[in-house]
Amino acid sequence: MAESSNSRKRRKIDPDSQTRIQPETGPTRWRTQAEQQIYSSKLIDALRHVRRGGHGGVRDAADRVLAASARGRTRWSRAILTNRLSLRLAQINRKHKKAARPSAGKSRPRKPAKKLPPVESKVKVLSRLVPGCRKVSLPNLLEETTDYIAALEMQVKAMTFLTGLLNAGAAAPA
Amino acid sequence: MQPNVEAVQPQFRSGISGEKTGGMGFVFDDLIPDLQETDGTSFTALLELPPPQAVELLVKEDSPAKTMPLPIFPSNIALIDRASLFSVFASADNPPDRTNILSVSSSMKIDSVKQEPLEPEYHRNSSSPAVSNQSLKSIKRKEREKKVKKSSKKVVANEASDGSGEQLPYVHVRARRGQATDSHSLAERARREKINARMKLLQDLVPGCNKISGTAMVLDEIINHVQALQRQVEFLSMRLAAVNPRIDFNLEALLAVDSESSIDNSYLGMFPPSIWPEGQMNGSRQQQPWLIDGLNLPSMGRVDDTSNFITPENSLLSYDSPANSGAETLHLSQLKMEL
């Protein structure tokens, strides 16, 4: 209950200084044009530095730029920024060891079904989708999902625009 | 205790009785004048009082109740149950009272059949399936506790207002009629309310979720939406990767449109001015300063353009202009179909 009272205190303060704080927090901030422009410019910058991409090089760069523009306020953004190196290593390791190592009875402990409530299983699926939210409580998970969906939508818009821009730029002189 | 209990039973009525045989019945008459709202069901008003006070009143032995006439036997059996189960005051510290109350309530347990008509009431009270699950659990607890319309223990000040006060530092959750006031169920209810509020936000965000009712379906939609968005990002990143090697080339070609301005023509003369599909970009001229700014291209005498940078940047890249959005939505729908 302490955290709920804290969050209530925070929400109580917010309407007072709404002009400045409100656009900064909450999922609505992803919808502003300014955010989109900032993201696009940063993305272009990052794309020029993408290495001779392995699979998903551009995708990771785009996600990282997105997480960076979140200013570290959300869990998923922090998870994306801190995980890129470890994920890369894990991918490489997995590719190397995939053929070599047989799964030593790891699937068996997972067979006995503990909980069957459909809501619970969906919550787990959702927590796997949102990066960095596997062991997060349900209300926080929902909040993270809200922010994540808004951010993803902005990302799609920006990338679509950039793709069109670059394609048109490529097509015209050619 | 038993004889007291049985004597107390028939005394309850909707207006609360005052027979003095047991240690319980007359107490209510004391409370009647004390209560602020006495709208007929003064028993429920009794329960508005905070536990300690109520226990005090319960314990009080001396009262003018002896002068009260015999109570009318209550017609509503459900009210008997409710009246007997005032063990919400059991939360107070006084053990003897607790045992008294519990014995009373346990005596009413015999009439367990009467619990059933109460159940639909619970279902009516619950607004969502999640809450109804919880209320079913709380029904089982009812035998020990109370179905009471009473403010929670956590309320610091005794308010008579309706609704849960969410602005106060304490978790002020008001127990609705027909729900338990156990601290566990209160905490659960507060948690559920938080979760439902967040789900509402999500429903507004995800298109098409407003019509669906039920947590599982809404979660389904949310999951689908997130997966679709992630797939879109993946797809777009593939396309961007295909275009990537030509980024520098393209961007300089973009700049070529603005070559008529004070930019050094000799440098850009190599690149023919590109023809922009007007449907895709409005104000392409406005975009040039922004792109130049973002790319730190070699200086091209842009002193005159700096003044242009600031003002157009505010209206840059009108993503959501009608023509743009039209093209983009078409593009997006194409993407989705390809996916």
Side-chain angles (χ1 to χ4, degrees), chain B residues 161-189:
Chain B
S161 59
D162 281 333
S164 63
E166 292 215 42
Q167 301 89 16
L168 303 170
Y170 270 86
V171 176
H172 292 269
V173 180
R174 186 156 292 261
R176 282 185 284 258
R177 187 182 171 86
Q179 294 182 343
T181 56
D182 188 24
S183 66
H184 292 295
S185 50
L186 281 173
E188 277 175 43
R189 201 175 311 123

Side-chain angles (χ1 to χ4, degrees), chain B residues 80-316:
Chain B
I80 299 179
D81 292 348
R82 236 176 279 145
S84 67
L85 300 176
F86 56 88
S87 62
V88 63
F89 305 128
S91 55
D93 316 310
N94 216 337
D97 293 323
R98 195 183 197 119
T99 52
N100 287 348
I101 296 162
L102 285 177
S103 63
V104 170
S105 59
S106 60
S107 71
M108 301 311 286
K109 255 195 266 186
I110 301 167
D111 311 321
S112 56
V113 185
K114 294 168 192 165
Q115 294 281 348
E116 277 148 36
L118 306 175
E119 279 183 344
E121 223 171 323
Y122 295 137
H123 287 286
R124 257 184 280 127
N125 285 339
S126 59
S127 51
S128 71
V131 178
S132 69
N133 287 343
Q134 180 195 342
S135 62
L136 279 175
K137 289 183 205 163
S138 58
I139 288 175
K140 290 171 191 161
R141 275 191 233 119
K142 244 13 103 52
E143 298 183 318
R144 277 174 280 138
E145 311 181 23
K146 249 358 325 92
K147 162 170 89 181
V148 158
K149 184 178 180 183
K150 165 193 181 299
S151 57
S152 74
K153 270 192 318 182
K154 295 176 187 170
V155 175
V156 175
N158 187 17
E159 301 172 24
S161 59
D162 281 333
S164 63
E166 292 215 42
Q167 301 89 16
L168 303 170
Y170 270 86
V171 176
H172 292 269
V173 180
R174 186 156 292 261
R176 282 185 284 258
R177 187 182 171 86
Q179 294 182 343
T181 56
D182 188 24
S183 66
H184 292 295
S185 50
L186 281 173
E188 277 175 43
R189 201 175 311 123
R191 181 174 167 266
R192 278 289 162 188
E193 282 174 9
K194 258 201 295 189
I195 290 177
N196 287 337
R198 306 262 165 89
M199 289 279 289
K200 259 199 197 168
L201 281 179
L202 268 173
Q203 271 185 312
D204 296 334
L205 201 54
V206 177
C209 260
N210 288 325
K211 300 151 193 168
I212 303 180
S213 63
T215 315
M217 302 288 192
V218 171
L219 278 179
D220 256 344
E221 278 301 316
I222 293 170
I223 289 175
N224 284 338
H225 197 237
V226 170
Q227 280 173 339
L229 284 173
Q230 282 179 342
R231 263 180 283 150
Q232 271 183 14
V233 170
E234 188 89 37
F235 189 73
L236 283 169
S237 70
M238 250 176 24
R239 296 186 71 150
L240 265 181
V243 182
N244 218 9
R246 293 182 293 178
I247 274 190
D248 299 337
F249 177 80
N250 289 340
L251 291 170
E252 289 177 0
L254 287 175
L255 300 172
V257 176
D258 211 13
S259 58
E260 303 84 82
S261 61
S262 63
I263 294 177
D264 193 1
N265 274 338
S266 61
Y267 183 85
L268 288 173
M270 316 184 332
F271 304 105
S274 48
I275 304 163
W276 292 115
E278 282 307 315
Q280 201 144 18
M281 265 165 307
N282 298 335
S284 54
R285 278 176 183 275
Q286 293 170 346
Q287 293 165 0
Q288 309 318 312
W290 168 74
L291 285 172
I292 295 174
D293 203 28
L295 296 173
N296 299 326
L297 286 175
S299 60
M300 287 186 257
R302 256 164 296 145
V303 181
D304 297 322
D305 279 333
T306 48
S307 57
N308 293 341
F309 290 177
I310 301 173
T311 45
E313 268 174 10
N314 295 336
S315 59
L316 274 180

Side-chain angles (χ1 to χ4, degrees), chain A residues 1 3-5 8-9 11-12 27 31 33 36-37 40-41 43-45 47-48 50 58-59 63 118-119 122-123 125-126 129 131 138-140 142-143 145-146 148-150 152-153 155-170 172-173, chain B residues 166-167 169 171 187 190 194-195 198-199 202 205-206 215-216 219-220 222-223 225-227 229-230 232-234 236-237 239-241 243-244 246-251 253-254 274-277 280-281 287 290-291 295 313 316-320 324 328 331-332:
Chain A
M1 289 311 165
E3 49 182 38
S4 62
S5 65
R8 291 212 175 95
K9 275 182 189 160
R11 280 179 199 153
K12 194 179 169 191
R31 300 215 179 128
Q33 282 227 27
Q36 206 167 356
Q37 291 161 18
S40 310
S41 52
L43 181 58
I44 283 191
D45 223 3
L47 283 178
R48 308 168 99 228
V50 168
V58 175
R59 166 103 202 259
D63 284 341
V119 179
K122 289 181 181 138
V123 164
V125 171
L126 186 60
L129 281 179
L138 183 53
N140 287 332
L142 293 178
E143 199 170 335
T145 309
T146 320
Y148 189 54
I149 288 181
L152 277 180
E153 291 190 352
Q155 188 180 23
V156 165
K157 270 196 218 165
M159 285 175 75
T160 315
F161 182 84
L162 275 180
T163 313
L165 189 66
L166 295 176
N167 278 337
Chain B
E166 292 215 42
Q167 301 89 16
V171 176
K194 258 201 295 189
I195 290 177
R198 306 262 165 89
M199 289 279 289
L202 268 173
L205 201 54
V206 177
T215 315
L219 278 179
D220 256 344
I222 293 170
I223 289 175
H225 197 237
V226 170
Q227 280 173 339
L229 284 173
Q230 282 179 342
Q232 271 183 14
V233 170
E234 188 89 37
L236 283 169
S237 70
R239 296 186 71 150
L240 265 181
V243 182
N244 218 9
R246 293 182 293 178
I247 274 190
D248 299 337
F249 177 80
N250 289 340
L251 291 170
L254 287 175
S274 48
I275 304 163
W276 292 115
Q280 201 144 18
M281 265 165 307
Q287 293 165 0
W290 168 74
L291 285 172
L295 296 173
E313 268 174 10
L316 274 180
L317 299 168
S318 50
Y319 287 96
D320 297 328
N324 245 353
E328 273 188 86
H331 198 56
L332 272 173

